[in-house]
Amino acid sequence: MSRNALIVDPELRTREMLIPVLKSEGFEIVTAGTAAEALRLINAGKFTLVVSELQLEADDSGFTLAYHFKQREPKGFFLILTALPRNRGIAFSLTDPGAAEWIHADAILNKEARPEQILREIRRIPLK
Amino acid sequence: MPRSREETIMFEITVNGRVVDANPEETILSALNRVGITVPTLCDMRGLTPTGACRLCVVEIEGCDTLAPACSTIVQEGMVIATHTPKVIRARKMILELLLSNHPDDCTFCARSEDCELRRLAAEYGIRERFFRTNREVTPRLDLSCPAIVRDASKCILCGKCVRVCQEIQKVSAIGFVGRGSETEVSQVFRNSLNVSDCIHCGQCILVCPTGALTEKDSTQPVLQALSDPERFPVVQFAPAVSVTLAEEFQLKPGTDLSGVLTAALRRIGFRAVFETAAAADLTVLEEAQELKERLESGTGLPMFTSCSPAWVRYAEKFYPELLPNVSTCKSPQAMLGAVVKSIYAERKKLDPCRIYSVAVMPCTAKKFEAERPEMARGGLPDVDAVLTTRELASLLRMFGIRLADLQAERADAPFDIRSTAGKLFGGSGGVMESTLRTLYHMLAKKELKTLKIEPVRGMDGIKEMRIKLPGREIGVAVINGIGNMPDFLKRLKLRPDQYQFIEVMACPGGCVAGGGQPLLPDLDRIKLRMHALQTPDQNESLRTAHHNEAVLELYRTALGEVGGERARQLLHVPPMKQEGKP
C-alpha cells in the first residue's frame, strides 16, 4: 500500500526541496500553500504524514492544522518544519513537558534542516 | 623568560604619569598589559591581528586631537598616554550605550547572564538605563537549525572575535561579515543557516563570544525529563577532558581531576549508571590499532587518519572528501560506549535498549552533531541520546544543589569502570596517537615499547611529526593540533605521501581540553594545566596501555569476540565513509 504525505508551506522552493526527500522514503506527495487548502485536503484524503510550516495564514496556523489532522488521523505523523525562531525569535520544543501537552505534533524541526534530519524523524513512522 | 634582545632596544613611554618600558612595534595595549594596567576591551584577541572594532580601549595621547584605540595603535618613543581620564571614561560609557542601544535587555533569560562581558562592563560603567532608544525592534533572531550551535544575531555586537577564530585560527571561514554599514551582520554564505553552512561545529566561536550571541544547543531539558521519567533508565558517560576542567566551573583549582567526585555527583542527580569515556577510549585504541595494523599489512588506505574528533570528520566531509576513505572506520569513544551500553550492557542487565536514555558529557559541541549522525545508530536507535557540554553539566549540577567538595570519590560502573592512563590521554592533542602506538607496537612485537611515553607527539605545536620503529618497518606519524594547520599539513602530505602512515587530527587547538564545550575564555596557561592533569596519571599509575585493561579484555572475551572481528565491526565501526551525495 502506498503511503501519502502532505507538504504544507507557502514557499514553492521549500515544497519542491522536500519532495525528493519524502519520495525517497516511498511517499506519494500532495502539496498545499495555505492552511485552508491543507485542511480541505486532510479532510478529503488519507495521509500518513504531514510536513508543515507553522506560519501560514496566521503565525500559529501549523498548530491548528496539527490539531485537526490528529483528530482525523490519530496515528498519523505530523512534522513541523518552521522558520519561526528566525523570523520571530520564538522557539517551541516537544521536550518541554508543558508544550508537549498542547502541541499535537510528533516532531519539530527548523527550516534548513538537512535531509538526514528529516529522514531521521520520518523513519520513526512504523511501516505497515 | 629572558627577552634580552628585546630589552636592549626597549624605549620609554609615560602612562598615567608613570614611566613604562615598551617595545617598538608593539601596540599600546600590549605595553599596558605587561605592566598590569587594564583598559576594557571586547574585541581584542591576543596573537591575532587587531581590528579596533569595539573602540572600548581608547586612550588619550598627548598631542593627538582624538582618542586612539590602544589595541591597534603602535607605541612610539616618548608617548605620553592617559588611560582613565574623565574624557576617556565618558567616551567608553558612550560606546557601551551605543552597543546597548539595539541589544536585547532580556538578560535574565540569556544563557550568558552570569558571565556576559558586555553586561559586566555596562555595570562597571554605571549604565542603569537604556539611553538610546532605537526605532528598530529588538527581537531575537534565532538560528536553532544546527544540532550543535545556536546563534542569536540580535545579541551580536559585531566584535568579530568569532569570525577571526573561524577564519584565522580554524581556517574554516564558515562565518563572516555580511552586508554593509548599519546592515552589517555576522552570517553564513548566502545568509543560510549554520546547519547547512560549512560550519564544522567545533564551537571555538562560542568560547570567545563576549555576549550570548553564540551558545551551544541546550540539551539539559531533555536530560532532565529523562531523569524524571520512571519508564527510562538514564545512564551517563563523561569524557576525560571534562573531568579535568569541571573544577574551573566551580572556582576550584584549574587542572584538578574530578573523575571520582563527578561519578558520585552524577549518581546523586539520578543516573542509574555512570561510565568513564576514558575506558571506552581503550576500546577505541584496540580497534584503531588493529585497523592500522591491517592497513599496514595490506598497504591500502594509508595514511590512516583518526576519527574521534567529530569536527575533523565534518571538516573532511566538507573540504577534503577525497580523504574520507583514509579516515578510520572506528566510531569515537563516545559512540563506542553508547553502542556497547545499548547492546551488551542492556543484555547483561536484562534491559530493553529502547528504555535506556544514554547521556554523554563531552568537552565538545560537535559531539552533539555526531550523536545525531545516522551512522551512530543501529536500527534507528541512536548510540547516544543526548550530549551535554562541560558548561551544561555544571549548570545541571548547580540545579541539583550538588556541592562537589562534600562528595567522596566513587568508582564508575562496569564494564567501563577501569581505564588505562592511555585512555585518559585521549583528551589532549597527541593522546590518541600515543595510546594507539603503544598498543600497535605491542600487537606487532608482542612486547612493550621500551619507553611508553612518546614525547614528540605531546605539547602545543600545530604540527608534530616523528618516525617510529616497529618490528620489520619504520612508520611516519603526524599529529595535527588544531584544524587550522590542516591546509599546511596536506601540502606536506602531497609532496611526500609515503612519508606518513598514521595521522591524528584534533580540530581544536590543544585537543579536547580546549574543546568548544569547555569553560569559556580559556587561555594558553589554563589549557596547559588541563593537559598536565590528563598526563599526571600516566606518571603515577601502573595500567598505562589499553591492551592491558582487564575490563576491556573481558568485554572482548565474553561478548565482542576478536578485536576487529565481526561483532566488534558491527558495534564499534561505521561503514567506510563516502562523499556526501555520492553513492
Side-chain angles (χ1 to χ4, degrees):
Chain A
M1 204 186 82
S2 69
R3 301 190 294 168
N4 297 317
L6 172 65
I7 299 171
V8 195
D9 200 286
E11 283 175 32
L12 178 69
R13 196 176 77 126
T14 308
R15 296 200 297 268
E16 298 210 321
M17 281 194 325
L18 282 168
I19 290 173
V21 181
L22 301 190
K23 270 203 172 148
S24 72
E25 288 294 293
F27 283 100
E28 298 283 329
I29 293 149
V30 182
T31 64
T34 62
E37 197 190 347
L39 195 58
R40 191 181 57 76
L41 288 164
I42 286 171
N43 286 330
K46 188 164 176 60
F47 294 97
T48 316
L49 166 69
V50 177
V51 182
S52 175
E53 169 58 274
L54 272 179
Q55 295 175 280
L56 297 158
E57 284 91 324
D59 268 4
D60 60 352
S61 291
F63 289 135
T64 328
L65 207 55
Y67 172 76
H68 286 297
F69 176 66
K70 287 285 184 175
Q71 290 284 305
R72 213 182 136 84
E73 305 279 355
K75 283 188 177 159
F77 195 93
F78 199 96
L79 168 64
I80 291 171
L81 184 68
T82 182
L84 197 70
R86 205 173 176 165
N87 299 339
R88 295 277 191 274
I90 310 168
F92 295 96
S93 164
L94 292 173
T95 55
D96 169 8
E101 251 172 56
W102 65 267
I103 299 177
H104 299 270
D106 300 279
I108 302 179
L109 283 177
N110 291 283
K111 275 265 176 76
E112 300 196 38
R114 285 166 287 112
E116 72 227 46
Q117 292 175 296
I118 297 169
L119 291 174
R120 186 184 152 99
E121 296 301 338
I122 62 180
R123 281 182 185 149
R124 287 162 47 197
I125 306 171
L127 286 164
K128 282 186 293 207
Chain B
M1 222 170 44
R3 346 165 107 242
S4 54
R5 201 181 146 265
E6 282 174 11
E7 269 162 20
T8 54
I9 51 167
M10 265 189 164
F11 53 64
E12 287 178 348
I13 57 171
T14 310
V15 183
N16 303 339
R18 168 181 160 199
V19 177
V20 165
D21 285 335
N23 294 313
E25 289 179 30
E26 78 174 328
T27 61
I28 296 177
L29 186 63
S30 133
L32 294 180
N33 283 344
R34 185 155 9 84
V35 293
I37 299 171
T38 41
V39 292
T41 152
L42 285 171
C43 71
D44 178 56
M45 294 179 88
R46 209 164 286 179
L48 296 187
T49 331
T51 56
C54 77
R55 315 305 283 183
L56 275 172
C57 65
V58 285
V59 292
E60 247 187 297
I61 302 173
E62 213 175 84
C64 289
D65 294 343
T66 54
L67 300 176
C71 72
S72 46
T73 308
I74 303 292
V75 281
Q76 273 160 31
E77 193 163 4
M79 244 183 194
V80 179
I81 297 163
T83 61
H84 289 83
T85 61
K87 183 180 171 186
V88 168
I89 290 172
R90 212 163 46 237
R92 286 184 192 145
K93 191 173 176 191
M94 174 71 81
I95 291 163
L96 284 165
E97 281 169 337
L98 285 165
L99 282 174
L100 289 166
S101 69
N102 64 348
H103 195 86
D105 48 13
D106 58 346
C107 294
T108 316
F109 307 102
C110 179
R112 290 290 301 275
S113 58
E114 289 253 315
D115 49 13
C116 171
E117 288 173 68
L118 179 62
R119 189 173 129 137
R120 181 180 60 79
L121 283 175
E124 207 171 293
Y125 281 79
I127 298 170
R128 286 284 167 244
E129 62 176 330
R130 190 180 284 277
F131 192 75
F132 296 104
R133 289 170 195 277
T134 55
N135 297 328
R136 262 199 229 180
E137 204 188 347
V138 185
T139 49
R141 282 170 286 148
L142 284 170
D143 181 357
L144 285 170
S145 59
C146 167
I149 298 171
V150 173
R151 256 184 59 84
D152 183 347
S154 66
K155 287 179 185 161
C156 176
I157 57 165
L158 299 174
C159 70
K161 280 176 152 184
C162 54
V163 174
R164 277 190 282 165
V165 160
C166 195
Q167 297 186 349
E168 290 185 46
I169 296 182
Q170 298 298 71
K171 303 210 170 101
V172 171
S173 300
I175 48 176
F177 288 109
V178 178
R180 290 287 177 273
S182 63
E183 301 294 319
T184 308
E185 61 173 350
V186 174
S187 188
Q188 295 72 238
V189 67
F190 302 129
R191 295 184 201 254
N192 279 346
S193 71
L194 265 177
N195 196 34
V196 291
S197 71
D198 280 339
C199 174
I200 61 168
H201 318 112
C202 68
Q204 291 293 313
C205 53
I206 300 176
L207 294 182
V208 296
C209 181
T211 71
L214 284 159
T215 51
E216 68 269 70
K217 180 96 161 230
D218 178 63
S219 301
T220 50
Q221 271 310 311
V223 170
L224 279 171
Q225 214 189 339
L227 283 171
S228 62
D229 185 347
E231 293 300 308
R232 304 301 302 248
F233 188 88
V235 302
V236 66
Q237 58 171 308
F238 63 87
V242 171
S243 63
V244 298
T245 56
L246 186 66
E248 293 169 35
E249 286 280 339
F250 290 90
Q251 285 73 50
L252 301 168
K253 214 171 119 235
T256 314
D257 189 344
L258 292 175
S259 300
V261 170
L262 178 55
T263 304
L266 289 166
R267 287 203 181 107
R268 295 295 176 284
I269 68 177
F271 286 103
R272 307 282 288 272
V274 183
F275 307 111
E276 276 208 49
T277 316
D282 283 339
L283 203 58
T284 313
V285 167
L286 283 167
E287 289 296 323
E288 201 147 338
Q290 175 67 23
E291 187 183 1
L292 180 57
K293 178 172 164 259
E294 286 167 17
R295 289 193 190 211
L296 286 170
E297 280 162 2
S298 69
T300 53
L302 291 172
M304 185 173 95
F305 288 87
T306 56
S307 58
C308 30
S309 168
W312 143 241
V313 174
R314 192 65 180 155
Y315 179 87
E317 286 178 313
K318 289 278 177 192
F319 299 100
Y320 299 97
E322 68 274 17
L323 292 178
L324 289 175
N326 292 59
V327 176
S328 161
T329 60
C330 289
K331 288 183 182 175
S332 65
Q334 162 181 300
M336 282 196 181
L337 194 149
V340 170
V341 164
K342 286 203 184 175
S343 56
I344 299 164
Y345 177 82
E347 285 158 30
R348 285 183 185 172
K349 294 275 164 188
K350 299 193 170 50
L351 280 167
D352 174 4
C354 297
R355 270 187 66 208
I356 297 179
Y357 190 83
S358 186
V359 178
V361 187
M362 292 289 140
C364 182
T365 43
K367 287 278 175 203
K368 288 176 184 270
F369 177 84
E370 186 198 90
E372 280 200 7
R373 293 185 75 113
E375 302 91 334
M376 304 298 172
R378 282 160 314 109
L381 193 65
D383 293 335
V384 168
D385 295 284
V387 176
L388 299 174
T389 60
T390 311
R391 300 186 292 268
E392 288 175 284
L393 168 69
S395 80
L396 204 61
L397 294 178
R398 279 186 214 111
M399 209 183 288
F400 277 84
I402 300 285
R403 289 163 53 100
L404 292 173
D406 297 348
L407 294 173
Q408 292 293 318
E410 286 176 18
R411 191 186 162 125
D413 285 278
F416 296 106
D417 50 345
I418 302 174
R419 56 124 187 94
S420 74
T421 61
K424 197 89 185 169
L425 289 178
F426 253 63
S429 166
V432 183
M433 175 61 67
E434 189 168 344
S435 318
T436 311
L437 287 179
R438 288 178 187 179
T439 294
L440 177 71
Y441 187 88
H442 186 263
M443 275 181 179
L444 293 168
K446 310 286 177 227
K447 60 174 184 183
E448 302 300 335
L449 265 172
K450 213 172 267 169
T451 356
L452 286 177
K453 183 177 174 186
I454 307 176
E455 193 66 52
V457 299
R458 294 189 177 189
M460 289 297 289
D461 289 346
I463 302 176
K464 294 170 271 187
E465 288 189 35
M466 73 174 290
R467 298 197 66 76
I468 183 162
K469 272 207 169 67
L470 300 174
R473 72 181 298 175
E474 194 184 85
I475 62 166
V477 302
V479 173
I480 315 304
N481 177 22
I483 205 74
N485 298 299
M486 213 49 194
D488 278 345
F489 175 73
L490 289 175
K491 277 180 215 154
R492 286 190 208 179
L493 181 65
K494 209 165 191 178
L495 285 173
R496 300 179 299 158
D498 300 333
Q499 203 73 13
Y500 305 95
Q501 279 71 39
F502 186 37
I503 299 157
E504 178 203 291
V505 190
M506 294 271 188
C508 295
C512 313
V513 283
Q518 294 283 35
L520 299 167
L521 306 167
D523 53 45
L524 193 58
D525 293 338
R526 203 159 267 216
I527 291 168
K528 283 181 177 161
L529 282 173
R530 296 170 180 178
M531 194 92 101
H532 181 73
L534 282 180
Q535 291 166 349
T536 307
D538 200 49
Q539 294 162 18
N540 309 329
E541 294 175 20
S542 57
L543 177 58
R544 295 177 64 194
T545 54
H547 51 272
H548 286 122
N549 182 338
E550 256 319 304
V552 167
L553 295 176
E554 188 267 347
L555 208 53
Y556 277 103
R557 270 198 305 273
T558 56
L560 282 169
E562 271 178 42
V563 177
E566 204 191 317
R567 180 110 206 252
R569 290 218 150 263
Q570 192 198 348
L571 279 178
L572 311 177
H573 290 253
V574 295
M577 304 271 279
K578 289 179 301 199
Q579 193 170 342
E580 209 173 70
K582 286 197 176 172

